[in-house]
Amino acid sequence: MKREKGEYGYLAQFKKMRLILTLLLFAAMACIIGFGYFRYHSMKTIFTVVGLLFSLPIAKVLSGLLVVLPLKPIPEEEKREMEQKVNHIPKEQILWDLALSSEEKVRHFPCVVYSDKTVIALYRDNKKASDVEEAKKYFRNLLKNNCHKTGFLLLTKEDKFLEKIAAANFESEDEKEIKRIKETILVYEM
């Protein structure tokens, strides 16, 4: 089943599909070069050139895979627990396992809950304190640069995240704005 960006399992599916595509391209490259070598007993054939041209799409697909490979999706049971605690929020206002890209790096947000008034994100790639500040600045700019006038809160602890979500109002007044916020966030998804 094909998952859409923002759905739970998309990140795992993205990794799997990129790995399969990389292996298929490598196999095609090897087959073409191997055919040319076994047919003409030389590497100086058009088959070698065509086979080597496969290195360009391989590099493109492999680079996307290498960027998201270290990101760990949240486990299914943890997701279920979180869903039970946030069952007052419409499912379409929850985004899971986001790998948002920027010029500097890819940031992993396991869960983002949004409405037309506020966006609350869980962030776990906090190896340094500066990482959290950079992620806050990145997400705020993402919303601000796309003309969203919502509040934003970034949390690194799941219990605090769930606490803030329980206290926040996710009743929406402007359905168009909710749709625009979702589209804005998913544009930066890998």
Side-chain angles (χ1 to χ4, degrees):
M1 180 172 117
K2 187 173 191 284
R3 300 192 189 276
E4 298 295 319
K5 291 180 177 184
E7 286 183 34
Y8 180 77
Y10 174 78
L11 185 61
Q13 176 185 296
F14 181 85
K15 288 180 186 181
K16 183 178 177 182
M17 294 308 293
R18 286 288 172 120
L19 180 62
I20 290 169
L21 189 55
T22 302
L23 294 174
L24 287 173
L25 288 170
F26 265 122
M29 182 174 92
C31 287
I32 291 169
I33 292 172
F35 174 77
Y37 182 77
F38 289 118
R39 175 79 170 100
Y40 298 105
H41 303 292
S42 172
M43 293 297 284
K44 298 178 182 178
T45 66
I46 191 69
F47 291 102
T48 303
V49 174
V50 171
L52 290 176
L53 287 176
F54 271 83
S55 63
L56 298 172
I58 289 171
K60 184 177 185 333
V61 172
L62 188 59
S63 65
L65 174 65
L66 293 176
V67 165
V68 297
L69 201 58
L71 305 179
K72 303 280 187 258
I74 58 176
E76 178 77 32
E77 54 200 44
E78 188 177 331
K79 182 226 178 213
R80 269 191 248 118
E81 286 175 20
M82 288 175 74
E83 274 184 326
Q84 288 173 353
K85 293 176 183 174
V86 297
N87 60 3
H88 63 286
I89 300 169
K91 289 188 187 287
E92 55 273 357
Q93 288 178 236
I94 303 172
L95 300 173
W96 298 100
D97 280 335
L98 297 177
L100 301 181
S101 61
S102 68
E103 292 175 359
E104 308 90 46
K105 65 189 268 184
V106 172
R107 292 172 179 85
H108 182 229
F109 298 91
C111 187
V112 175
V113 181
Y114 63 95
S115 73
D116 55 344
K117 297 176 202 80
T118 187
V119 175
I120 302 175
L122 178 62
Y123 181 68
R124 290 193 178 151
D125 293 343
N126 51 345
K127 297 171 187 93
K128 299 181 270 178
S130 63
D131 287 347
V132 176
E133 289 307 313
E134 287 175 13
K136 279 182 190 175
K137 182 179 175 185
Y138 165 75
F139 215 115
R140 274 199 185 107
N141 286 338
L142 182 146
L143 295 169
K144 181 181 159 193
N145 293 342
N146 289 284
C147 303
H148 298 291
K149 298 188 183 339
T150 62
F152 173 70
L153 186 60
L154 181 78
L155 298 159
T156 58
K157 303 271 190 259
E158 184 183 321
D159 56 338
K160 295 285 186 193
F161 174 72
L162 294 171
E163 194 177 291
K164 289 293 183 184
I165 289 174
N169 179 12
F170 286 95
E171 294 296 319
S172 21
E173 297 171 5
D174 189 355
E175 292 297 322
K176 285 175 87 174
E177 182 62 12
I178 286 184
K179 186 177 179 188
R180 261 185 15 91
I181 290 172
K182 181 177 182 176
E183 288 170 357
T184 297
I185 294 170
L186 294 182
V187 161
Y188 295 91
E189 170 72 357
M190 289 289 297

